Amino acid sequence: MRGAVVVDCGDMCGLYSFRRSPEETRTLFNYLEEPDFPPRQYVTPGSPMAIVRQGRANRHFALVRWGFVPAWAKEVAPGKPLINARSETVL
Protein backbone atom coordinates (compact mmCIF):
# COMPACT_ATOMS: atom_id res chain seq x y z
CA MET A 1 0.00 0.00 0.00
CA ARG A 2 1.49 3.31 -1.00
CA GLY A 3 2.35 5.47 2.01
CA ALA A 4 1.40 2.74 4.48
CA VAL A 5 2.65 2.66 8.04
CA VAL A 6 6.18 1.29 8.08
CA VAL A 7 6.31 -2.22 9.45
CA ASP A 8 9.83 -3.44 10.04
CA CYS A 9 10.06 -7.00 11.32
CA GLY A 10 13.82 -7.31 11.07
CA ASP A 11 14.88 -10.83 11.91
CA MET A 12 12.36 -11.42 14.68
CA CYS A 13 9.09 -13.25 14.11
CA GLY A 14 6.33 -11.57 16.08
CA LEU A 15 7.90 -8.13 16.42
CA TYR A 16 7.48 -4.95 14.42
CA SER A 17 7.71 -1.19 14.84
CA PHE A 18 5.06 1.51 14.51
CA ARG A 19 6.86 4.81 13.94
CA ARG A 20 4.17 7.21 12.72
CA SER A 21 2.73 9.92 14.95
CA PRO A 22 -1.03 10.01 15.60
CA GLU A 23 -1.34 13.01 13.27
CA GLU A 24 0.57 11.30 10.43
CA THR A 25 -1.45 8.11 10.78
CA ARG A 26 -4.79 9.93 10.85
CA THR A 27 -3.84 11.96 7.76
CA LEU A 28 -2.67 8.83 5.95
CA PHE A 29 -5.77 6.70 6.67
CA ASN A 30 -8.42 9.43 7.14
CA TYR A 31 -10.30 7.90 10.09
CA LEU A 32 -12.78 9.78 12.29
CA GLU A 33 -11.30 9.31 15.77
CA GLU A 34 -8.49 11.43 17.19
CA PRO A 35 -6.59 8.99 19.42
CA ASP A 36 -3.38 9.91 21.20
CA PHE A 37 -1.19 6.83 20.88
CA PRO A 38 2.61 7.04 20.89
CA PRO A 39 4.89 5.76 18.12
CA ARG A 40 6.75 2.67 19.36
CA GLN A 41 10.02 1.10 18.38
CA TYR A 42 8.79 -2.39 19.29
CA VAL A 43 5.25 -3.77 19.15
CA THR A 44 5.14 -7.24 20.68
CA PRO A 45 2.44 -9.92 20.84
CA GLY A 46 -0.06 -9.14 23.59
CA SER A 47 0.60 -5.39 23.56
CA PRO A 48 -1.96 -2.93 22.18
CA MET A 49 -1.55 -2.35 18.47
CA ALA A 50 -3.17 0.30 16.32
CA ILE A 51 -5.34 -0.77 13.39
CA VAL A 52 -7.71 0.97 11.01
CA ARG A 53 -11.00 -0.75 10.16
CA GLN A 54 -13.08 0.06 7.11
CA GLY A 55 -16.71 0.62 8.11
CA ARG A 56 -19.64 0.95 5.72
CA ALA A 57 -18.99 4.65 5.11
CA ASN A 58 -15.87 5.60 7.10
CA ARG A 59 -12.62 4.25 8.46
CA HIS A 60 -12.20 3.82 12.21
CA PHE A 61 -9.16 3.63 14.49
CA ALA A 62 -8.97 0.88 17.11
CA LEU A 63 -6.45 -0.57 19.55
CA VAL A 64 -6.45 -4.37 19.58
CA ARG A 65 -4.39 -7.15 21.13
CA TRP A 66 -2.24 -9.13 18.76
CA GLY A 67 -2.46 -12.86 19.30
CA PHE A 68 -4.26 -16.09 18.52
CA VAL A 69 -6.92 -17.47 20.86
CA PRO A 70 -7.61 -21.12 19.97
CA ALA A 71 -11.23 -22.28 19.83
CA TRP A 72 -10.62 -24.70 22.73
CA ALA A 73 -9.38 -21.96 25.10
CA LYS A 74 -11.82 -21.16 27.90
CA GLU A 75 -10.30 -17.71 28.51
CA VAL A 76 -7.50 -15.47 27.30
CA ALA A 77 -4.50 -16.29 29.46
CA PRO A 78 -2.26 -13.48 30.72
CA GLY A 79 1.27 -13.23 29.43
CA LYS A 80 2.45 -13.93 25.92
CA PRO A 81 -0.37 -15.02 23.60
CA LEU A 82 0.09 -17.48 20.78
CA ILE A 83 1.05 -15.76 17.54
CA ASN A 84 1.22 -18.69 15.16
CA ALA A 85 -0.04 -22.24 14.67
CA ARG A 86 1.22 -25.29 12.82
CA SER A 87 -0.37 -25.78 9.44
CA GLU A 88 -0.14 -29.56 9.89
CA THR A 89 -2.71 -29.46 12.69
CA VAL A 90 -4.99 -26.66 11.51
CA LEU A 91 -7.83 -29.05 10.66
Side-chain angles (χ1 to χ4, degrees):
M1 174 187 289
R2 185 173 180 225
V5 173
V6 174
V7 175
D8 178 13
C9 299
D11 294 331
M12 296 275 305
C13 175
L15 183 67
Y16 73 96
S17 62
F18 189 91
R19 298 181 185 158
R20 303 279 182 156
S21 71
E23 296 80 23
E24 288 176 301
T25 307
R26 186 165 189 258
T27 299
L28 184 64
F29 291 105
N30 193 31
Y31 46 80
L32 300 174
E33 297 78 18
E34 295 185 28
D36 185 21
F37 63 95
R40 293 184 298 178
Q41 181 67 29
Y42 300 107
V43 179
T44 60
S47 65
M49 82 186 232
I51 66 166
V52 178
R53 295 179 176 155
Q54 179 64 52
R56 290 184 187 258
N58 300 308
R59 293 179 180 158
H60 297 280
F61 173 89
L63 286 176
V64 297
R65 271 187 56 183
W66 171 16
F68 173 69
V69 179
W72 46 262
K74 301 220 186 299
E75 62 184 52
V76 178
K80 290 187 173 183
L82 295 172
I83 60 168
N84 55 26
R86 291 177 183 240
S87 62
E88 298 85 12
T89 58
V90 73
L91 295 177

